[in-house]
Amino acid sequence: MQIEGKKYICDRCKLESFAIKKETLVLDGGYTREPTFEIVEGWTRQNRGNEWCDLCPTCSEKLQGVIDKFWEKEVD
């Protein structure tokens, strides 16, 4: 059996998750229809300069902690 969807792989720890394709489609303002997918809770997409990376919930929390610590030290 095949299920259509998207596979997410964390660019830091390589954890995998899968989002199943929904039957509803979204029009992009023209005649092109884009599929919609289930929302994978906690996953984030971060910009690293010129490229994007996907992070799992654990790695997203760690990154946010580092960012918060950085800004706390900048304020002091």
Side-chain angles (χ1 to χ4, degrees):
M1 178 178 184
Q2 293 182 344
I3 299 174
E4 291 185 45
K6 280 186 180 181
K7 182 178 181 181
Y8 291 95
I9 302 172
C10 179
D11 289 323
R12 185 172 179 272
C13 70
K14 305 303 180 205
L15 180 73
E16 297 179 1
S17 186
F18 188 78
I20 298 174
K21 180 180 172 182
K22 294 183 180 180
E23 293 299 321
T24 58
L25 297 173
V26 176
L27 293 176
D28 68 353
Y31 294 103
T32 306
R33 299 189 320 169
E34 297 291 327
T36 56
F37 298 89
E38 290 179 340
I39 296 172
V40 183
E41 293 296 324
W43 282 72
T44 60
R45 176 159 262 200
Q46 302 290 331
N47 187 351
R48 279 198 246 163
N50 294 331
E51 63 184 47
W52 290 91
C53 66
D54 294 319
L55 296 176
C56 69
T58 304
C59 294
S60 296
E61 288 177 18
K62 288 180 182 178
L63 176 63
Q64 191 59 47
V66 169
I67 291 171
D68 292 342
K69 284 182 182 179
F70 172 79
W71 285 111
E72 286 174 9
K73 290 183 179 183
E74 284 290 311
V75 174
D76 292 343

